[in-house]
C-alpha cells in the first residue's frame, strides 16, 4: 500500500474534524442551539474517511441519518453544515433540510437520508447514470446494519449486480439498529456474507482501523471503476453516543461502550503516524489546533447568519412553481 | 392530422424524446423485448438497445429509486410501474425521496424523471390490478401528476413531462390504450397545468379525468337529446391544476359534477370539490356532485366490477340530480 504522508495526514485531519464537529454539535444541542434530531458519528470516523479517501469530487455518495461524518469525509464545508444545523439561510439546504438531509451535489454528496435504507436504490441509480454517461465515476452507498434488513437492500444489491454497476455498498455495522443489537435483528454475524447471495464479493473489515478500511475500499473502488461491478464492504464499528442525542441508551451495557471506546480509531492512526515517523506530535497538534479554529469559525458563521425569510417555505418544491403562501 | 392509438402516442413521445435527448432512457419490468405488459414500449428496444430500454427485475422500490438516483446525476429516466397498484411498493422512493429531495436540499438539485402508471378497472383484473390511486400522489407536494384521456393529449403531455425538470407521475388508463384519435403531424408539447374543454355546454359542468372523460361525453350526448347541454372539462394534469378553466366553466353553468374512477372516499375529486366550495361557492346554484367508484376494493367478476365503477347512467343521474 502506498501510504504517503499527505494521505495519512489528510485521514488524520478528516477524522479529527468529524470527531470535533460532532462533539461541538453535541454541546450545542444540549444548549438548545441546535434543534430537531441529530445522530452523531463519534466512534465511526475511520469508516467514512477510509472509504472516501479513495474518491474524487466527481464520485457520488449516498448517506444516512448519521451523515455528518460522510459529508466531512467527502469534503463538505463545516460552515455550511453548521449553518444548516442551526436552521440558517446560509446552510447547505437554506434551513429546509437540517441534519438528516444535508447535501452538496457539487461534491457528489447526494444527501443524508432520514429513511433507513432509502439511499440504497438511489446509489444504484447514480451508478447506472455513470455507466450510461460513460464516465468512470463510482457511487458509494453508506448504510447501517439496520438498513441491511430493509427490502431496498435486497433490491439494490441485486440490481447493481446484474448490471455490473460501479457501486460500492458500505455497511457500517455499528452493532445496533436503534436499540436492537445485531444478534437480535439478524441471525448472521457478518453482513458481508449476504453479498454471496448477489454474486459479488463481500468483505468484512475492522471499521475502526482506517488503514484497513482504506485498503479494502481501494480495491472495491478500483473494481467498480474498471467495470467489474459492485462490492459489499462491512465495517465493524460502534457508535459511542446513543442513536440520537438524548437517547438514554438503556439497551446496552456500559462495559460494552467502554470496550469499544478503548478501540478509538483516532489515537490508533496517530500511533501509526508517530511510530513510523511520518509526522511529529507537534504536527498532529497543529492539525488539531487548525480544526478547532475552523470549527469555531463555522459556529460563528452559523450564529451570525440570518434565518431564512418565512415566505421562502413555499419555494424550492418545484423548479418552476411556487406554492401558495399564507397571509398573517 | 393523422390517427394514432393512445398507446402508440405514448410510444411516439418516448421514441422522439429519446432521439432528441440522449439522457432519456426507459426502465421497468419487461419493457424490452416483451414490449411492456400492455405493449406500450414495443419495438423501442430495437431502435435504442437494451442499455436504454432497460428490463429490470421485479423490484418496484428499486425501479423508482434508481430513477431518482439517475435523475439526480444527469439522466432523464422514464420508469414504468407495470400496474399503478404496484406503486404502493415504490412509495418511499416517490414520496420521501423523489418528491422531497429538491426541497430538502434547498433547491439545489432537480429530478427530471417520469413514472408511468397504468391504472383503472374494466379488465376483470380484480382488487390488486385495477386501482386508481392518483390521490395518493396528488397529496404529495413535489410531484406533478398528469392524466391524459386522448391520444393527442397523451402525446403532447408526455413530451412535456419528459422535458420537465421535476418528478412527474404520468397516469395512463389501461382501457384507453387502444383508443384511436387524431394527433398533430408534428410533435407538439402540451404544457402541464392547462385543462381542455372536451365539449362545450351551458347547463352543467362535468369535470372528468381519464376514461371518465369518454363516459362523460357519452352521457352528454344522451343528455343533449333531452336538451341538456353539458360542458366537459378535462383537467389533463391533476397537479398543477388549471383552476381557471374549471372555474370559468362553473361560473357559466353554476353547476358541477365531478367524475373520477378512483374510489370516492379521500379521492382527488374530493379535493377539487373542496377547492370549488372554498373559492367559487357563490357561483354555485346547487350542491357539488361527486361520482366515483364505490368505496370497496375493485371486484373481479364483470357484474360486480360494472356495479362498482361509474358509468354513463351514474353521470346522467348525477347531472339530473341538480338540474
Amino acid at each position: 500500500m502506498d501510504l504517503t504522508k499527505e494521505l495519512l495526514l489528510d485521514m488524520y485531519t478528516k477524522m479529527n474534524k468529524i470527531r470535533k464537529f460532532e462533539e461541538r454539535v453535541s454541546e450545542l444541542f444540549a444548549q438548545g442551539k441546535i434543534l430537531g434530531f441529530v445522530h452523531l458519528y463519534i466512534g465511526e470516523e475511520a469508516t467514512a474517511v477510509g472509504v472516501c479517501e479513495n474518491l474524487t469530487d466527481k464520485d457520488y455518495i449516498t448517506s444516512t441519518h448519521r451523515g455528518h461524518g460522510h459529508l466531512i469525509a467527502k469534503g463538505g464545508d463545516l460552515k455550511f453544515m453548521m449553518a444548516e444545523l442551526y436552521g440558517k439561510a446560509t446552510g447547505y439546504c437554506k434551513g429546509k433540510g437540517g441534519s438528516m438531509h444535508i447535501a452538496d451535489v457539487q461534491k457528489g454528496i447526494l444527501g443524508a437520508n432520514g429513511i433507513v435504507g432509502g439511499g440504497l436504490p438511489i446509489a444504484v441509480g447514480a451508478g447506472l447514470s455513470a455507466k450510461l454517461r460513460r464516465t468512470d465515476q463510482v457511487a458509494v452507498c453508506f448504510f447501517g446494519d439496520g438498513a441491511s434488513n430493509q427490502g431496498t437492500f435486497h433490491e439494490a444489491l441485486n440490481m447493481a449486480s446484474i448490471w455490473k454497476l460501479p457501486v460500492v455498498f458500505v455497511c457500517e455495522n455499528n452493532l445496533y439498529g436503534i436499540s436492537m443489537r445485531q444478534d437480535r435483528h439478524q441471525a448472521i454475524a457478518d453482513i458481508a456474507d449476504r453479498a454471496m447471495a448477489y454474486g459479488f464479493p463481500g468483505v468484512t473489515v475492522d471499521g475502526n482501523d482506517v488503514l484497513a478500511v482504506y485498503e479494502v475500499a481501494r480495491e472495491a473502488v478500483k473494481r467498480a471503476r474498471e467495470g467489474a461491478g459492485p462490492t459489499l464492504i462491512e465495517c465493524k464499528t460502534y457508535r459511542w453516543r446513543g442513536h440520537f442525542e438524548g437517547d438514554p441508551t438503556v439497551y446496552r451495557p456500559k462495559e460494552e461502550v467502554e470496550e469499544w471506546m478503548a478501540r478509538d480509531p483516532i489515537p490508533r492512526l496517530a500511533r501509526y503516524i508517530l511510530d513510523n515517523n511520518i509526522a511529529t506530535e507537534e504536527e498532529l497538534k497543529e492539525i488539531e489546533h487548525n480544526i478547532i479554529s475552523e470549527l469555531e469559525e463555522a459556529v460563528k458563521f452559523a450564529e451570525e447568519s440570518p434565518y431564512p425569510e418565512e415566505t421562502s417555505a413555499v419555494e424550492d418544491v418545484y423548479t418552476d412553481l411556487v406554492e401558495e403562501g399564507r397571509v398573517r | 392530422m393523422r390517427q394514432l392509438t393512445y398507446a402508440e402516442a405514448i410510444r411516439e413521445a418516448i421514441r422522439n424524446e429519446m432521439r432528441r435527448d440522449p439522457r432519456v432512457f426507459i426502465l421497468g419490468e419487461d419493457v424490452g423485448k416483451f414490449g411492456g405488459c400492455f405493449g406500450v414500449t414495443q419495438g423501442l428496444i430495437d431502435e435504442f438497445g437494451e442499455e436504454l430500454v432497460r428490463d429490470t427485475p421485479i423490484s418496484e422500490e428499486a425501479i423508482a429509486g434508481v430513477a431518482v438516483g439517475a435523475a439526480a446525476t444527469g439522466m432523464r429516466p422514464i420508469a414504468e410501474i407495470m400496474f399503478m397498484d404496484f406503486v404502493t411498493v415504490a412509495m418511499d422512493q416517490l414520496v420521501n425521496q423523489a418528491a422531497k429531495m429538491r426541497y430538502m436540499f434547498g433547491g439545489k438539485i432537480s429530478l427530471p424523471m417520469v413514472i408511468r402508471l397504468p391504472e383503472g378497472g374494466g379488465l376483470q383484473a380484480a382488487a390488486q390490478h385495477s386501482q386508481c390511486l392518483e390521490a395518493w400522489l396528488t397529496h404529495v407536494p413535489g410531484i406533478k401528476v398528469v392524466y391524459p384521456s386522448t391520444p393527442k393529449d397523451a402525446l403532447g403531455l408526455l413530451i412535456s413531462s419528459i422535458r420537465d425538470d421535476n418528478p412527474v407521475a404520468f397516469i395512463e388508463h389501461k382501457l384507453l390504450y387502444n383508443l384511436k384519435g387524431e394527433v398533430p403531424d408534428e410533435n407538439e408539447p402540451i404544457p402541464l397545468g392547462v385543462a381542455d374543454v372536451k365539449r362545450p355546454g351551458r347547463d352543467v359542468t362535468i369535470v372528468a379525468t381519464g376514461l371518465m372523460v369518454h363516459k362523460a361525453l357519452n352521457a352528454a350526448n344522451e343528455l343533449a337529446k333531452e336538451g341538456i347541454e353539458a360542458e366537459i372539462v378535462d383537467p389533463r394534469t391533476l397537479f398543477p391544476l388549471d383552476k381557471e378553466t374549471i372555474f370559468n366553466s362553473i361560473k357559466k353553468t353554476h353547476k358541477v359534477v365531478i367524475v373520477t374512477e378512483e374510489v370516492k372516499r379521500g379521492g382527488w375529486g374530493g379535493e377539487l370539490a373542496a377547492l370549488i366550495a372554498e373559492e367559487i361557492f357563490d357561483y354555485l346554484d346547487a350542491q357539488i356532485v361527486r361520482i366515483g367508484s364505490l368505496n370497496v376494493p375493485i371486484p373481479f367478476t364483470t357484474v360486480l366490477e360494472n356495479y362498482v365503477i361509474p358509468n354513463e347512467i351514474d353521470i346522467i343521474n348525477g347531472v339530473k340530480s341538480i338540474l
Side-chain angles (χ1 to χ4, degrees), chain B residues 293-309:
Chain B
S293 286
L294 302 180
N295 294 326
V296 297
I298 303 301
F300 161 62
T301 200
T302 311
V303 60
L304 298 181
E305 186 177 36
N306 286 347
Y307 179 70
V308 167
I309 296 173

Side-chain angles (χ1 to χ4, degrees), chain A residues 54-129:
Chain A
N54 293 289
L55 305 178
T56 72
D57 280 357
K58 286 190 175 142
D59 294 316
Y60 300 110
I61 64 164
T62 59
S63 172
T64 69
H65 56 284
R66 199 175 306 289
H68 304 165
H70 308 137
L71 304 177
I72 294 171
K74 191 70 169 51
D77 188 309
L78 300 192
K79 282 201 309 294
F80 304 136
M81 283 179 68
M82 194 60 90
E84 186 59 30
L85 297 184
Y86 268 75
K88 297 296 182 77
T90 54
Y92 262 123
C93 313
K94 304 194 291 200
K96 287 181 170 136
S99 170
M100 279 189 284
H101 306 299
I102 299 178
D104 185 345
V105 180
Q106 299 307 315
K107 289 220 158 74
I109 301 166
L110 301 177
N113 204 313
I115 305 294
V116 170
L120 283 148
I122 297 174
V124 175
L128 174 61
S129 156

Side-chain angles (χ1 to χ4, degrees), chain B residues 169-235:
Chain B
F170 192 85
I171 301 173
E172 302 160 13
H173 197 291
K174 299 193 285 279
L175 286 193
L176 291 175
Y177 282 134
N178 290 324
L179 176 84
K180 258 193 184 326
E182 284 197 337
V183 297
D185 294 331
E186 299 295 321
N187 279 193
E188 288 290 336
I190 295 172
L192 306 189
V194 180
D196 188 38
V197 176
K198 295 289 194 228
R199 182 189 196 280
R202 57 168 193 268
D203 298 321
V204 61
T205 297
I206 301 176
V207 181
T209 59
L211 180 65
M212 290 299 141
V213 171
H214 302 278
K215 292 193 179 179
L217 284 165
N218 296 338
N221 288 338
E222 291 303 311
L223 288 164
K225 292 177 189 163
E226 301 177 37
I228 300 162
E229 292 299 331
E231 177 149 298
I232 298 177
V233 184
D234 175 1

